[in-house]
Each structure stands twice: as C-alpha cells, then as structure tokens.
Amino acid sequence: MYYGTIKKSDIANGTGVRVSLFVSGCTHHCKGCFNEETWNFMYGQEFTKETEEEILKLLSPSYVSGLSLLGGEPLEFVNQQALLPFLEEVKRRYPEKTIWCYTGYLFEKDILNHMVPKWKITGRILELLDVLVDGPFIEEQKDITLLFRGSSNQRLIDVPKSLASGETILWKPQE
C-alpha cells in the first residue's frame, strides 16, 4: 500500500485533534474530488513498518483523540490488507482512541452486502472502526457547512452500534 500524506494534527476529519492517514488508490473517481492525485495506487510513499511506527508515535499524546483514514479509498481491498494489522496495533496500544474511516462505498449495499461476505478482512476492519463516513462525494451536493463530510449524501455511521443492532445507526456528536 502507498499513502499520499500523514496529517499530524488534523481537526477537520473527525472529533478532536487527530492523526489522519491519506492512503493511495481509489476506483470511485468522484467528480470534484479534493484529492485526485490519490486515485493512483502508487502515488506517494510506500506504507512501511517505519510509517506505522511514526503514526503510532504521533497518536501517543493524550490530546490526540484518534486516527482518521482517508484517501484515496481505505476500503479498496489492497488497502484493507495493509490496514488491518496496523489498525489492530492502534487499538491494542490505544484502546481509548477512536478510529474514523472515510469511504466512497455505501455501508449497507457495498460493505455489508458485498465486501463482508466476500472478504473476512472487511468485517474485522469494521469491528475496529468507531465512525464510518460513507458514500461517494457528489459535487452537486457539496455543502461546506456539514460536519465532517463534503456532500449531503454522505453519512456519519456509528459502527459499533450499527453492528450490534443489525441496522444502520447514525453517529451523533456528544453534547
């Protein structure tokens, strides 16, 4: 897997201060994508054990709320293979930190009904996520006033509650 960038102190892609990993490779090719260069699976740098350790170190301060995965497309199968062991280590070292994942895939249709039955790895990744922002970016529905998403079709899904209940439950900010 390759990645385009690591944001060490990101406040736009999830709650609190986060470390954000922008993976490379995406087949959605959304019109108006803010990160077109990451469509290429070979864009940027190789994701290595050193990269993992760098991110794990960046997650260590108590003021860092968690990790956000963006792209590119984190749930492209080749990316899932690299991300699963890394996410397991994030949760092992920092069980109190949250993991958010941005995907152009739809939770029910693409992920639960297609990917999970086809690839066991997808189900395991879902079990490690706290929030999934799903749906492709749709330029005609772009809305810069939305919390943590770019277009109004995208949803913020509470993954643990959704998996436990068997129905999609939207994430709500804690008040």
Side-chain angles (χ1 to χ4, degrees), residues 56-69:
L56 289 163
K57 185 177 178 183
L58 291 169
L59 287 166
S60 67
S62 61
Y63 66 83
V64 174
S65 299
L67 174 69
S68 292
L69 303 171

Side-chain angles (χ1 to χ4, degrees), residues 4-174:
T5 192
I6 298 166
K7 287 193 175 180
K8 300 174 182 181
S9 188
D10 187 356
I11 58 168
N13 295 302
T15 55
V17 176
R18 310 187 68 74
V19 176
S20 291
L21 171 65
F22 290 78
V23 302
S24 295
C26 182
T27 57
H28 300 299
H29 297 185
C30 300
K31 177 182 161 192
C33 175
F34 80 103
N35 213 3
E36 277 188 41
E37 60 274 4
T38 63
W39 292 356
N40 181 338
F41 282 84
M42 302 298 279
Y43 173 77
Q45 301 174 63
E46 189 173 355
F47 188 76
T48 63
K49 286 290 181 195
E50 292 76 23
T51 311
E52 289 184 21
E53 284 303 320
E54 175 189 351
I55 295 170
L56 289 163
K57 185 177 178 183
L58 291 169
L59 287 166
S60 67
S62 61
Y63 66 83
V64 174
S65 299
L67 174 69
S68 292
L69 303 171
L70 303 97
E73 173 58 71
L75 294 183
E76 293 285 358
F77 185 66
V78 66
N79 291 338
Q80 289 186 45
Q81 293 174 16
L83 287 172
L84 177 59
F86 171 62
L87 295 178
E88 288 174 332
E89 184 62 16
V90 169
K91 278 295 187 186
R92 188 186 72 72
R93 287 198 202 177
Y94 306 111
E96 74 286 0
K97 307 226 183 223
T98 60
I99 300 176
W100 284 48
C101 180
Y102 286 73
T103 181
Y105 293 108
L106 296 173
F107 183 60
E108 303 87 352
K109 179 184 172 209
D110 301 318
I111 299 169
L112 293 179
N113 291 331
H114 177 71
M115 291 178 180
V116 169
K118 188 174 180 180
W119 306 312
K120 290 182 181 174
I121 195 169
T122 307
R124 181 67 188 120
I125 287 175
L126 284 178
E127 292 169 359
L128 297 167
L129 299 179
D130 295 284
V131 175
L132 181 75
V133 182
D134 86 329
F137 172 74
I138 298 177
E139 188 172 47
E140 294 76 23
Q141 295 180 29
K142 180 178 180 177
D143 184 346
I144 62 169
T145 68
L146 295 170
L147 188 64
F148 306 128
R149 53 199 173 120
S151 57
S152 59
N153 64 295
Q154 295 171 315
R155 303 175 298 171
L156 294 103
I157 297 170
D158 186 317
V159 178
K161 286 182 181 175
S162 296
L163 293 177
S165 72
E167 57 187 66
T168 303
I169 297 178
L170 298 182
W171 175 85
K172 294 183 178 117
Q174 294 180 343

